[in-house]
Amino acid sequence: MKSTVYFCKDLSPESVLKLYQKLGKELTGRVAIKVHSGEEGNPNFLRPAFWKPVVDHVGGTIVECNTAYDGARNTTDRHKVLLKKHGWSDMYPVDLLDAQGPDMVLQIPDGQTIKQNFVGKDLANYDATLVLSHFKGHVCGGFGGALKQLSIGFASSYGKRYIHGAGDAVDCWNAEQDKFLESMADAASSVVKFFGGNAAYINVMKNLSIDCDCCGETAKLPCMGDVGMLASLDPVAIDQACVDLVYASTDAGKADLIERIESRHGSHTLEAAEKLGIGSREYELVGV
């Protein structure tokens, strides 16, 4: 059965809310609104004001986790400073999920590569999630969207290393590529199941760089023009639709982003996530 993915070309804060409302999904209880806070010096991440109408409407809490690499977000103290510098904590209530340990461990009995996912322990305080993703390239995964937010995004600093290492948090940067991608899908599935369907996803195809917002000043500038925004209740379908829109674009700059996706075998994350039953690569794109 095809999933529904809504698409809007207008890249305005008001259209983010319009897309969310089109889903017809009321997120109940305490809502964790997952964003990417943006590495120090990154020119491409989506600023807090862009999300304000939908955040105000949902009334949830902005959530993030610390990183697994050196930078301005790899410790709680540094990350809190950057959250303020980038305007997140001035505009919204913010919860750094792994500010203090121990991590919360989600079991993945049907995991293809990993059987556990280590997330920020404060995730236990939430009943629903709105995953707000900036779709773009990624140096490790090929692309980053909803599935990356669900996996690497919700993982604690230790959990990020565990996923990258396909179960080895020590030698975490040398895992076989497909095993790393499968680990991302495994981790994403555990978060999807934790929320039990009380979730919604928005991907924004703007500032389309080959690099993730995890990169600082070294991040490449956008390689192609903005495309639009998508919303769905299916994290696999929304990411698949974004990848398909890149391929379908007439912008010559898409070649750089496609090379990034293909050289990292990014489609395998979609294949693995679909195999786990958390979404479908088959979808209907509905214009808004």
Side-chain angles (χ1 to χ4, degrees):
M1 185 174 180
K2 292 184 178 181
S3 295
T4 300
V5 179
Y6 294 100
F7 174 71
C8 175
K9 289 185 177 180
D10 181 49
L11 286 156
S12 68
E14 293 73 25
S15 288
V16 177
L17 176 57
K18 182 180 178 181
L19 268 180
Y20 170 75
Q21 291 174 319
K22 194 69 178 176
L23 292 172
K25 176 72 174 181
E26 181 182 355
L27 297 174
T28 56
R30 298 160 294 183
V31 183
I33 303 178
K34 181 66 182 72
V35 302
H36 195 301
S37 54
E39 187 54 72
E40 177 81 56
N42 182 278
N44 301 318
F45 79 95
L46 300 178
R47 272 54 179 180
F50 184 79
W51 302 117
K52 195 170 193 314
V54 74
V55 173
D56 288 349
H57 177 81
V58 171
T61 300
I62 297 293
V63 301
E64 256 284 35
C65 285
N66 294 320
T67 61
Y69 51 83
D70 290 340
R73 301 184 303 137
N74 69 326
T75 70
T76 294
D77 289 343
R78 289 178 183 174
H79 204 163
K80 285 182 175 179
V81 168
L82 194 66
L83 284 163
K84 183 171 180 62
K85 182 177 181 180
H86 282 175
W88 295 103
S89 51
D90 286 340
M91 190 170 290
Y92 309 114
V94 175
D95 186 356
L96 199 53
L97 297 177
D98 65 335
Q100 296 178 340
D103 292 339
M104 177 181 178
V105 183
L106 301 179
Q107 302 299 323
I108 320 172
D110 56 349
Q112 298 163 90
T113 295
I114 58 174
K115 301 296 184 181
Q116 292 182 311
N117 183 27
F118 300 86
V119 300
K121 71 174 181 63
D122 285 357
L123 189 66
N125 298 330
Y126 297 94
D127 309 297
T129 185
L130 174 61
V131 179
L132 303 176
S133 304
H134 174 209
F135 184 88
K136 65 284 180 189
H138 192 276
V139 69
C140 296
F143 70 88
L147 291 171
K148 177 182 175 291
Q149 283 275 56
L150 286 166
S151 57
I152 300 293
F154 276 109
S156 68
S157 182
Y158 175 84
K160 288 176 171 63
R161 295 192 296 274
Y162 189 83
I163 294 168
H164 272 282
D168 185 348
V170 178
D171 186 22
C172 59
W173 306 115
N174 296 303
E176 193 273 319
Q177 179 66 7
D178 277 3
K179 292 299 182 184
F180 158 60
L181 299 175
E182 290 165 8
S183 295
M184 279 210 299
D186 290 340
S189 74
S190 72
V191 176
V192 169
K193 291 172 183 177
F194 173 81
F195 285 113
N198 203 11
Y201 308 91
I202 295 175
N203 282 9
V204 178
M205 300 183 72
K206 175 180 171 65
N207 301 343
L208 288 160
S209 169
I210 64 170
D211 286 329
C212 181
D213 298 341
C214 304
C215 300
E217 296 176 355
T218 62
K220 299 292 186 182
L221 293 176
C223 61
M224 61 181 289
D226 299 340
V227 175
M229 302 188 294
L230 302 88
S232 183
L233 301 179
D234 182 333
V236 180
I238 195 172
D239 279 1
Q240 182 68 64
C242 286
V243 170
D244 290 345
L245 284 168
V246 171
Y247 276 86
S249 172
T250 58
D251 191 321
K254 72 178 184 180
D256 290 341
L257 186 50
I258 289 173
E259 191 280 332
R260 174 55 57 93
I261 294 170
E262 292 184 348
S263 65
R264 272 62 171 184
H265 200 195
S267 62
H268 189 57
T269 308
L270 297 164
E271 295 165 353
E274 183 180 53
K275 186 176 180 181
L276 287 163
I278 60 169
S280 171
R281 298 179 69 190
E282 298 293 323
Y283 62 89
E284 179 184 7
L285 195 66
V286 178
V288 175

